[in-house]
Amino acid sequence: MRAGEEVIAHIDWDRRHKLMRMHTALHLVTVVLPYPITGAAVGEDKGRVDFNLPEVPDAAEIENKLNALVEAGHAVTSEWITDAELEANPGLIKSMNVKPPMGQGRVRLVRIGDIDLQPCGGTHVRN
């Protein structure tokens, strides 16, 4: 392949949409459980977020809170800030182990309504 050549890409929309939904749902999990994140995995049919928890939370309560957030249909948008702005606002970073990619001059933030704002390069649904 040479520079300037046309490239045609095909997206497996069903798979991508499942991943988008799961990724967005995991953001909501971090809203319901506002603890430091120690790991995560996003899959088509299931995902997980690992937290540094002080105690084991009630699963039914978490499920109810998550369902309420999903039903609220918060808009999911993205915006950009500079590396310097992110450095000045370290509270935006929820993960203890994975830092957002910096060094390009700007970092993408994903906002879910007025309930979540964090650096993220992943794909998400609109609400």
Side-chain angles (χ1 to χ4, degrees):
M1 175 134 300
R2 287 182 254 153
E5 283 189 66
E6 183 176 327
V7 175
I8 298 173
H10 298 275
I11 295 173
D12 179 343
W13 177 249
D14 184 54
R15 179 176 187 277
R16 182 179 178 112
H17 191 247
K18 287 177 182 177
L19 290 167
M20 291 165 64
R21 289 171 48 116
M22 183 64 68
H23 189 145
T24 307
L26 293 177
H27 276 262
L28 296 179
V29 170
T30 72
V31 171
V32 172
L33 295 167
Y35 302 101
I37 298 168
T38 60
V42 181
E44 292 177 56
D45 299 317
K46 63 182 178 177
R48 66 164 226 287
V49 181
D50 305 325
F51 296 96
N52 186 3
L53 294 171
E55 58 189 47
V56 177
D58 179 79
E61 183 180 343
I62 293 169
E63 183 178 4
N64 290 336
K65 288 180 178 180
L66 280 171
N67 285 335
L69 290 176
V70 171
E71 289 174 21
H74 297 281
V76 179
T77 59
S78 64
E79 55 201 73
W80 295 87
I81 61 172
T82 66
D83 288 353
E85 288 171 313
L86 182 59
E87 288 174 356
N89 294 285
L92 290 172
I93 302 170
K94 294 184 176 186
S95 175
M96 296 173 62
N97 299 331
V98 179
K99 300 301 178 204
M102 296 176 66
Q104 300 297 313
R106 65 184 192 154
V107 176
R108 179 177 176 244
L109 299 179
V110 169
R111 180 183 298 274
I112 301 178
D114 62 356
I115 62 170
D116 189 45
L117 178 66
Q118 62 179 295
C120 186
T123 58
H124 305 83
V125 292
R126 291 184 184 169
N127 67 49

